[in-house]
């Protein structure tokens, strides 16, 4: 169980220059995306760097929902810059791009697919030392500031995959809730669904003792270990925060308590899934976002079609839990109760239906689009969606119940409409 | 918030040799005490080292409740050995001694008081790199495997003090519940009280925003930050485990679930207090154990008088909470509820009394000696006990309520008898 360091508090971002000075950094790469370039979070970071005399170069070309091409652009920048530290200011896309840039710039002889998860890439163990990276999250969902995972769209296969290694985990995540105040409503909602799913999936993931293979040498073990008594603490705590604060954070941008709580929940759930792993929602989400046609998400200022990650993840959750609940019904019921279900007279065999219904109500109440149909998919797309899920075995194997291709088809079909 | 890495599971100790190999260690120092020298935990470690071809030297002369002299003996051994990694196998005494040995051997020019907490020592910031240390706890109380704290008796002043720096935190704590099965009853009880107090004190410590001074440069901040939303998660979770499992772990050595749960709770509470800090129980406990006369604790195989740490800490808890509750009564009531009190009709102004009564019942039920009198102290000792508490400002300043010397006297007096 590897846990990241996090620092929490309004205004902590102002300290980043001192931290870099303490690290002895002389040439720092600041990464962000061009939406954030003019906003307070990046201003706070640059002010702190300037004040502490830290020499830096800025890369603001991160793509929202990055691809192998956008990763490679950032890697090229990082290689040229020969940086000795990195600061990522943004959501998961920025932090993940920064992790990849740091990794490949620290190991310039490697090929891009060397560290990409198998079976798409070679899934090599990272043995080179990477530079220290400080992550300043500006959304409340990814938890990427606490994990060793970097996700991207692999264009050739039209599917999401990633790099997963403890080595690329940020040295420090700075949770500064001031940065959440600029978030538009749907960004709060969709990133909140990511927190919800991180918590639900890590809590219901295959228990760590049942995972296989389990390499005898600890260095060869994956970051995702299966659910365990430590990740459970984080998952349940994050789920409680989501149940209490997500709606408030979405509907009232001035509700500082709610937005700060979701910012912490994002990191907490990140620590949980960063060690336990995610499973089917995430595995099925990668083709849902990778195969996007014309859907454009409200409140996202991008020039390409986009199913935001949190939305692509949550949309299959009712169907998936109906399918997985027979394996660990108590945990599914417990999650339903935390999300508001009255389970006093519930039968254990109904756990999946109860959690699925609870999630449907929860999502309807938060204005989530009505299933895959609303995101532009039809039944004709199901074979492609299934095909895109199959290579995600790094996560799908952590589902509490194994899936055949037919079962995956049924799960996508059941997710066409939610209500 | 700096959090240690921990690995949990029956038998994980067998992996320590591989971890050291992965670290490239060529000459390892194994520290333990001579009670443990023949027991399964140390055997498991040595077997793993041998199997993986790791060259090591053994230091088994750690003193239970270490002193400056016993620390210095271990430091001398470590300096001579020029080790490149350390493995501590034992309770808090062993882990703390190992941290100190590693620190001073890594910085051979330093004087012993350089890193000892002010005002007794100079409290210097550690800036030298120390060697990686792996901690294998064999008791279920200290949480030392997760903290950057090393406590010892300073003989000249007859008080406990310590060294506190994130730099000396173990690289990895291996929580192997198999090692708890050999623990005698009172060792389980007393180390469990340490967990109880770590959880209670970190949850009721001064909130991080109210702590002063708060150095602007993060590197100068103490390990103990005051209670905060992250340490709270650990504290409450550990407290729930103590409430559920401590009695079972004490009374039935074969109750693996209970002993394993307490082993985890020890690490969880360690992460909590390692970041939030402890306060008055610990501050007042140091003279209680430092000034010990003839008390010999049951089940401890040592040749000197000894008030076990957990016992010295818990014995003042009812008096202290009656005193501190007016500052944050809700938290005190919440703690009482977790420990079994029915608070449905409780008045908030009675929070301190309710928690104190709950603790008295809890301790009586677990056969705790009846207060300081039973540990060999009388009213005549109170001035010395107060005098020994005054230098503990590193922790006493984190109490939610400041204390005068008179108030400390009253608290010791109120702790003479518990029931």
């Amino acid at each position: 169980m590897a846990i990241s360091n996090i620092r929490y508090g309004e205004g902590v971002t102002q300290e980043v220059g001192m931290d870099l000075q303490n690290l002895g950094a002389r040439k720092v790469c600041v990464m962000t995306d061009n939406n954030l370039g003019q906003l307070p979070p990046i201003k706070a970071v640059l002010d702190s760097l300037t004040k502490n005399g830290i020499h830096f170069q800025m890369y603001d070309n991160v793509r929202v929902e990055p691809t192998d091409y956008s990763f490679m652009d950032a890697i090229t920048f990082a290689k040229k810059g020969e940086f000795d530290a990195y600061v990522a200011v943004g959501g998961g896309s920025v932090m993940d791009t920064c992790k990849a840039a740091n990794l490949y710039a620290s190991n310039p002889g490697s090929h891009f697919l060397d560290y990409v998860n198998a079976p798409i890439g070679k899934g090599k163990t990272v043995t080179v030392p990477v530079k220290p990276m400080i992550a300043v999250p500006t959304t409340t969902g990814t938890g990427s500031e606490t994990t060793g995972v970097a996700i991207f769209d692999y264009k050739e296969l039209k599917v999401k995959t990633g790099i997963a290694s403890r080595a690329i985990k940020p040295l420090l995540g700075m949770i500064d809730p001031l940065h959440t105040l600029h978030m538009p409503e749907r960004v709060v909602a969709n990133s909140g669904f990511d927190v919800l799913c991180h918590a639900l999936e890590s809590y219901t993931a295959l228990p760590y003792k049942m995972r296989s293979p389990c390499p005898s040498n600890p260095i060869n073990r994956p970051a995702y270990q299966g659910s365990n008594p430590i990740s459970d603490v984080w998952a349940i705590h994050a789920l409680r925060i989501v149940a209490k604060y997500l709606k408030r954070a979405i509907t009232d941008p001035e509700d500082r308590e709610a937005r700060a709580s979701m910012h912490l929940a994002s990191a907490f759930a990140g620590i949980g899934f960063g060690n336990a792993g995610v499973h089917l929602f995430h595995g099925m989400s990668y083709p849902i976002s990778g195969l996007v046609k014309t859907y454009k998400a409200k409140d996202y200022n991008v020039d390409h079609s986009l199913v935001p990650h949190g939305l692509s993840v949550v949309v299959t959750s009712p169907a998936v839990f109906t399918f997985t609940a027979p394996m660990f019904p108590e945990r599914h019921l417990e999650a339903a109760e935390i999300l508001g279900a009255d389970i006093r007279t519930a039968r254990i065999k109904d756990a999946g239906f109860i959690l699925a219904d609870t999630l449907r109500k929860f999502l309807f109440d938060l204005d989530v689009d009505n299933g895959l149909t609303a995101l532009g998919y039809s039944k004709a797309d199901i074979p492609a969606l299934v095909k895109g899920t199959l290579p995600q075995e790094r996560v799908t194997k952590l589902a509490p119940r194994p899936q055949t291709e037919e079962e995956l088809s049924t799960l996508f079909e059941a997710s066409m409409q939610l209500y």
Side-chain angles (χ1 to χ4, degrees), chain A:
Chain A
M1 178 86 193
I3 314 180
S4 257
N5 293 329
I6 56 182
R7 191 183 300 154
Y8 170 75
E10 289 196 356
V12 290
T13 311
Q14 294 161 13
E15 299 170 359
V16 68
M18 275 182 287
D19 287 303
L20 290 164
Q21 212 174 47
N22 295 338
L23 287 168
R26 301 183 170 279
K27 197 175 176 194
V28 173
C29 176
V30 177
M31 288 217 169
T32 189
D33 66 53
N34 56 25
N35 285 319
L36 274 161
Q38 308 302 322
L39 289 173
I42 194 79
K43 195 175 170 303
V45 167
L46 299 188
D47 282 355
S48 175
L49 266 55
T50 306
K51 200 172 150 192
N52 288 280
I54 303 286
H55 178 65
F56 65 90
Q57 283 180 35
M58 175 102 149
Y59 179 86
D60 66 358
N61 202 26
V62 168
R63 190 181 197 272
V64 176
E65 308 294 334
T67 65
D68 46 345
Y69 294 103
S70 77
F71 265 20
M72 282 193 265
D73 190 64
I75 291 165
T76 305
F77 182 87
K79 282 182 174 169
K80 269 192 203 144
E82 296 184 342
F83 303 107
D84 53 14
Y86 291 79
V87 181
V89 189
S93 301
V94 173
M95 292 186 274
D96 288 7
T97 301
C98 192
K99 290 174 190 173
N102 184 5
L103 171 61
Y104 289 97
S106 300
N107 192 7
S110 58
H111 296 286
F112 184 69
L113 285 178
D114 282 355
Y115 296 119
V116 172
N117 297 322
I120 293 171
K122 293 186 189 159
K124 269 178 66 178
T125 301
V126 178
T127 53
V128 293
V130 305
K131 304 295 182 192
M133 165 180 165
I134 296 177
V136 184
T138 61
T139 61
T140 54
T142 164
S144 180
E145 67 277 13
T146 68
T147 76
V149 178
I151 301 290
F152 65 94
D153 284 311
Y154 190 53
K155 293 309 264 184
E156 195 178 314
L157 298 181
K158 279 199 172 183
V159 31
K160 286 214 175 197
T161 182
I163 300 160
S165 165
R166 291 177 195 87
I168 59 171
K169 200 163 52 168
L171 179 75
L172 177 65
M174 288 196 159
I175 318 288
D176 185 340
L178 289 178
H179 300 340
T180 65
L181 301 177
H182 73 283
M183 289 171 70
E185 186 201 292
R186 277 300 104 184
V187 178
V188 177
N190 290 323
S191 55
F193 299 143
D194 203 17
V195 179
L196 172 69
C197 293
H198 288 157
L200 289 170
E201 284 172 273
S202 56
Y203 195 60
T204 57
L206 202 63
Y208 73 106
K209 286 184 182 172
M210 297 171 65
R211 182 177 55 81
S212 73
C214 182
S216 63
N217 190 327
I219 208 172
N220 295 324
R221 287 181 200 150
Y224 290 175
Q225 291 283 311
S227 63
N228 61 70
I230 305 166
S231 61
D232 287 350
V233 179
W234 296 102
I236 286 294
H237 193 71
L239 192 60
R240 289 207 177 100
I241 298 177
V242 170
K244 182 170 179 186
Y245 287 112
L246 179 55
K247 188 170 182 180
R248 282 172 52 182
I250 293 171
T251 51
D252 182 3
E254 299 300 316
D255 188 337
R256 284 186 169 215
E257 182 190 344
R259 290 210 166 184
S261 298
M262 284 303 302
H263 211 28
L264 267 178
S266 169
F268 290 172
I271 299 175
F273 91 82
N275 286 275
V278 286
H279 59 82
L280 268 182
F281 310 170
H282 271 77
M284 294 170 67
S285 83
Y286 298 138
I288 293 173
S289 48
L291 298 172
V292 59
K293 299 170 181 178
T294 57
Y295 184 81
K296 294 213 168 182
K298 192 173 158 248
D299 287 347
Y300 287 74
N301 181 26
V302 291
D303 58 5
H304 50 87
S305 303
L306 174 72
V307 180
H309 174 63
L311 182 57
S312 72
V313 171
V314 84
V315 71
T316 59
S317 62
V320 166
F321 276 141
T322 313
F323 172 73
T324 58
M327 308 310 284
F328 300 99
E330 294 81 4
R331 289 195 166 221
H332 288 71
L333 258 192
E334 192 184 344
E337 185 177 29
I338 293 173
L339 290 172
D342 180 351
I343 63 160
R344 281 172 299 177
T345 59
R347 292 177 303 183
I348 198 79
K349 74 181 178 65
D350 295 331
F353 300 107
I354 292 169
L355 179 52
D357 274 348
T358 307
L359 281 167
R360 278 189 206 99
K361 273 182 216 149
F362 191 82
L363 299 180
F364 183 79
D365 194 37
L366 297 175
D367 281 335
V368 172
D369 291 309
N370 190 7
L372 290 174
T373 312
L375 306 183
Y377 292 102
S378 70
K379 284 193 183 176
D381 300 308
I382 291 179
L385 291 166
V386 171
K387 193 175 160 222
T389 304
L390 295 176
Q392 309 299 335
E393 55 179 52
R394 182 181 62 98
V395 291
T396 55
K397 279 175 78 172
L398 281 171
R401 180 175 169 180
Q403 327 88 43
T404 63
E405 287 189 42
E406 291 67 35
E407 285 165 334
L408 287 173
S409 280
T410 309
L411 292 175
F412 279 116
E413 191 169 343
S415 304
M416 283 291 160
Q417 293 209 317
L418 287 176
Y419 316 118

